[in-house]
């Protein structure tokens, strides 16, 4: 507070710009308006030797002889931006995977 009331009113009306983190999840390199240009690549963090396939889920170790109860799809492909190198989607679904196989029954 100062002795001059007009300075106090001007100080309240001005809005300071605060430091913000760049939104790299939505925009490429954090620049607003620049969208990610994605391509399907093999993720270097989650490569496995088995490849993209359906894998059985067993609910109990004792019931393993009965067979699997359900299947889960494991994919090693990801969506990566060609400009900044950020992975936008890490695990792709069955619809997006280029090596997708039909679900076993």
């Amino acid at each position: 507070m100062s002795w001059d009331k007009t300075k106090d009113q001007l100080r309240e009306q001005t809005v300071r710009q605060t430091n913000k983190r760049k939104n790299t999840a939505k925009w490429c390199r954090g620049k607003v308006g620049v969208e990610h240009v994605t391509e399907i690549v093999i993720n270097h963090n989650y490569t496995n030797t088995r490849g993209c396939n359906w894998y059985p889920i067993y609910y109990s170790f004792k019931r393993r002889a009965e067979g699997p109860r359900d299947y889960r799809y494991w994919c090693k492909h990801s969506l990566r931006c060609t400009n900044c190198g950020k992975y936008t989607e890490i695990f792709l679904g069955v619809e997006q995977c280029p090596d997708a196989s039909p679900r076993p029954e």
Side-chain angles (χ1 to χ4, degrees):
M1 295 295 248
S2 67
W3 59 273
D4 190 6
K5 299 296 181 191
T6 58
K7 285 184 180 179
D8 291 338
Q9 291 174 354
L10 288 173
R11 190 175 295 142
E12 291 174 1
Q13 290 175 0
T14 58
V15 178
R16 280 186 69 204
Q17 180 69 26
T18 59
N19 293 337
K20 296 180 184 177
R21 293 191 63 170
K22 292 183 176 183
N23 189 358
T24 57
K26 187 173 181 181
W27 306 113
C28 185
R29 296 186 188 110
K31 297 178 182 176
V32 178
V34 181
E35 295 185 5
H36 291 286
V37 180
T38 57
E39 65 177 349
I40 296 177
V41 295
I42 296 175
N43 193 330
H44 72 280
N45 293 325
Y46 299 104
T47 57
N48 55 7
T49 57
R50 296 181 285 183
C52 302
N53 208 346
W54 291 92
Y55 294 101
I57 296 174
Y58 299 101
Y59 289 119
S60 172
F61 191 73
K62 294 178 182 177
R63 296 182 182 183
R64 194 173 197 124
E66 296 176 7
R69 297 277 177 111
D70 200 6
Y71 288 92
R72 178 176 179 236
Y73 190 75
W74 182 264
C75 182
K76 63 181 179 180
H77 293 93
S78 297
L79 285 178
R80 188 175 77 187
C81 180
T82 57
N83 297 331
C84 64
K86 179 178 177 59
Y87 288 103
T88 55
E89 276 190 51
I90 296 176
F91 298 107
L92 295 183
V94 184
E95 314 80 40
Q96 295 176 329
C97 181
D99 299 338
S101 61
R103 183 177 180 186
E105 293 298 327

